[in-house]
């Protein structure tokens, strides 16, 4: 992605921030049950909704997002967060020796080409220690509602991804992958 692509993607993402949806809190609390206690990274953290929940439950969260305004809001809430392209930020974390017991990749993967997705998954693998956990949530491509009504309405979606396993994520045998395929949630 070019800098212009990243800027457009960040602006479009800001229009649909899940952090402002009260149902997001319930969904995000579900992710916490899969993550080991300790340091966790939320890739695509937005304004820090999940970071707030994780911190309240005793985790040490770190967030990454492309949207500078969202990161500023997360930092203003007292969160440790970095603005930038996730693969680059995670690569820098790995180079400095920073590791996370778990990683959350919720509704991010579908915004990446297959090549970008593999690079991102490789970068995540480098910051997870043996026994680390990756929780992945993507729109469910098996759902006709998702594909027909929701998925392609977001112009930043590149392609749907099926549920992932350890082999498809290139993680080693000591890592655990929890993969959610999320159905469309309708507004009331």
């Amino acid at each position: 992605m070019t800098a212009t692509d990243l800027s457009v993607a960040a602006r479009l993402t800001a229009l649909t921030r899940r952090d402002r949806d009260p149902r997001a809190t319930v969904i995000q609390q579900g992710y916490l049950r899969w993550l080991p206690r300790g340091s966790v990274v939320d890739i695509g953290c937005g304004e820090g909704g999940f970071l707030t929940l994780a911190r309240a439950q005793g985790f040490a969260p770190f967030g990454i997002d492309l949207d500078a305004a969202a990161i500023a809001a997360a930092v203003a809430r007292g969160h440790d967060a970095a603005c930038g392209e996730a693969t680059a930020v995670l690569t820098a974390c790995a180079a400095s020796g920073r590791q996370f017991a778990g990683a959350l990749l919720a509704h991010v993967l579908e915004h990446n080409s297959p090549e970008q997705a593999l690079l991102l998954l490789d970068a995540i693998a480098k910051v997870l220690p043996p026994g680390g956990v990756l929780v992945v949530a993507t729109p469910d491509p098996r759902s006709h509602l998702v594909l027909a009504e929701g998925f392609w309405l977001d112009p930043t979606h590149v392609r749907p991804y099926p549920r992932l396993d350890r082999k498809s994520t290139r993680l080693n045998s000591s890592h655990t992958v929890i993969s959610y395929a999320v159905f469309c949630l309708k507004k009331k």
Side-chain angles (χ1 to χ4, degrees):
M1 283 189 167
T2 67
T4 302
D5 292 337
L6 294 176
S7 175
V8 170
R11 283 184 278 144
L12 287 169
T13 301
L15 294 173
T16 59
R17 272 283 168 231
R18 285 182 187 76
D19 295 350
R20 297 187 187 113
D21 185 344
R23 293 172 297 176
T25 301
V26 173
I27 293 167
Q28 291 172 343
Q29 285 173 336
Y31 300 147
L32 285 172
R33 71 183 179 130
W34 299 108
L35 291 167
R37 293 283 177 198
S39 62
V40 295
V41 59
D42 179 8
I43 302 153
C45 70
E47 295 173 354
F50 178 79
L51 302 177
T52 300
L53 288 171
R55 184 172 58 194
Q57 293 294 320
F59 291 84
F62 172 67
I64 302 170
D65 205 291
L66 283 173
D67 185 344
I71 289 297
V75 169
R77 292 179 181 159
H79 295 300
D80 183 13
C83 183
E85 194 277 322
T87 302
V89 174
L90 291 166
T91 299
C93 287
S96 71
R98 189 168 187 182
Q99 291 198 313
F100 302 94
L104 174 63
L105 187 62
H107 296 281
V108 173
L109 205 58
E110 62 271 15
H111 297 271
N112 291 273
S113 70
E115 296 80 13
Q116 292 167 326
L118 287 174
L119 290 172
L120 177 57
L121 292 167
D122 284 345
I124 293 168
K126 290 175 184 166
V127 297
L128 290 178
V133 175
L134 169 61
V135 176
V136 180
T138 63
D140 189 350
R142 298 171 299 168
S143 167
H144 295 293
L145 284 175
V146 168
L147 290 179
E149 295 183 16
F151 189 85
W152 297 113
L153 293 178
D154 183 338
T156 67
H157 282 168
V158 175
R159 62 158 285 175
Y161 287 91
R163 296 179 94 177
L164 302 173
D165 59 18
R166 189 180 302 117
K167 183 179 176 191
S168 64
T169 60
R170 298 183 180 184
L171 296 178
N172 69 47
S173 61
S174 73
H175 295 125
T176 302
V177 178
I178 308 296
S179 184
Y180 285 85
V182 180
F183 284 90
C184 182
L185 297 175
K186 292 195 171 195
K187 290 185 179 179
K188 293 181 180 181

